[in-house]
Amino acid sequence: AIDHPDIQGLAPGLIAALVDRSDGPMLKALDALLGAVYTTTLNAPSCALICPVVDRGLSRGGIEARQKAATFVRTLARITGGSEELLPYLETLQPRLKALLADAAPGVREAAAQAVGVLAAILPPEAGDEQADVAADLVARLSTVQDDTELEGIAQGLAAALATVTTERREDLLAELVDPDGPA
C-alpha cells in the first residue's frame, strides 16, 4: 500500500499511467509528479510506483514525456538524496538518461544533463568502475564521441556534474580534463 503522504493522492494517476500505455496518462502522471510538493523522503513503495512511469517516459515517450521524465529524475534524486530506496531504480534510469544526452531535442538533452549532474553528486564513484562513476564516464565519453549533438549533451551533463560534485571531486575531474593521461 502506498502510505506516503505526498504520493497517496498521486497513486491513482500513476497506476493509470502504468495500465494505459498511451502517452496521455503518462504525461498527466509526470505533470502531477513535477507539480507535487514533497515534504518527506520517498519510501520504497513510492519509488516502486513512480520509477516505472518515469522509466517509460524516458524510454518510450515523445519529446514532452522524455523531457518531463528527465526533469523528474533530477527532482527524485534531490528529494531522495541517493537513498537505498532509489538505488535499484537508478540502474535502469541512469543509462536511459545518458542515452538522452544524444537526443535530437535540445530541451530533452538539457533536462537529461541536469539529471545526470545531480546523479553525479549523489552516487559515490566506484573504485575502478568508470561506468558507475557518472562524471568520470562523461569525461571518458568526451574523447570518443563524434556526433555533435551527443557531444553537446555530454558537455552539458559534465557541466551540471561539475556544478554539483564536491570541490575535491571537481578538482579531480578538471585535472583529468586538462591532462587525461596524467595521474588521476
Side-chain angles (χ1 to χ4, degrees), residues 81-115:
S83 69
E84 62 184 50
E85 287 82 5
L86 180 61
L87 289 178
Y89 301 101
L90 290 180
E91 290 179 18
T92 303
L93 299 177
Q94 182 179 328
R96 297 205 195 289
L97 287 167
K98 287 180 180 179
L100 290 180
L101 292 174
D103 198 276
V108 173
R109 281 195 312 274
E110 175 62 27
Q114 293 299 317

Side-chain angles (χ1 to χ4, degrees), residues 108-183:
V108 173
R109 281 195 312 274
E110 175 62 27
Q114 293 299 317
V116 166
V118 173
L119 292 180
I122 66 166
L123 296 175
E126 299 290 329
D129 187 357
E130 198 168 85
Q131 291 294 322
D133 183 344
V134 178
D137 179 55
L138 295 174
V139 170
R141 287 175 62 192
L142 275 176
S143 62
T144 61
V145 170
Q146 301 296 316
D147 179 69
D148 288 343
T149 301
E150 186 173 3
L151 186 60
E152 179 183 324
I154 291 169
Q156 287 176 308
L158 185 56
L162 289 170
T164 59
V165 296
T166 64
T167 301
E168 180 182 333
R169 183 72 181 121
R170 183 179 312 116
E171 289 171 355
D172 290 345
L173 289 166
L174 289 171
E176 188 175 341
L177 279 169
V178 172
D179 185 12
D181 298 324

Side-chain angles (χ1 to χ4, degrees), residues 29-100:
L30 290 170
D31 283 336
L33 288 168
L34 288 167
V37 175
Y38 299 94
T39 57
T40 60
T41 301
L42 295 180
N43 57 15
S46 298
C47 287
L49 181 59
I50 291 168
C51 289
V53 174
V54 174
D55 179 51
R56 206 170 112 230
L58 292 172
S59 62
R60 293 191 301 243
I63 291 172
E64 183 180 8
R66 291 192 312 271
Q67 185 170 350
K68 287 179 180 188
T71 299
F72 187 71
V73 171
R74 181 184 70 194
T75 301
L76 185 62
R78 284 183 175 160
I79 61 177
T80 61
S83 69
E84 62 184 50
E85 287 82 5
L86 180 61
L87 289 178
Y89 301 101
L90 290 180
E91 290 179 18
T92 303
L93 299 177
Q94 182 179 328
R96 297 205 195 289
L97 287 167
K98 287 180 180 179
L100 290 180

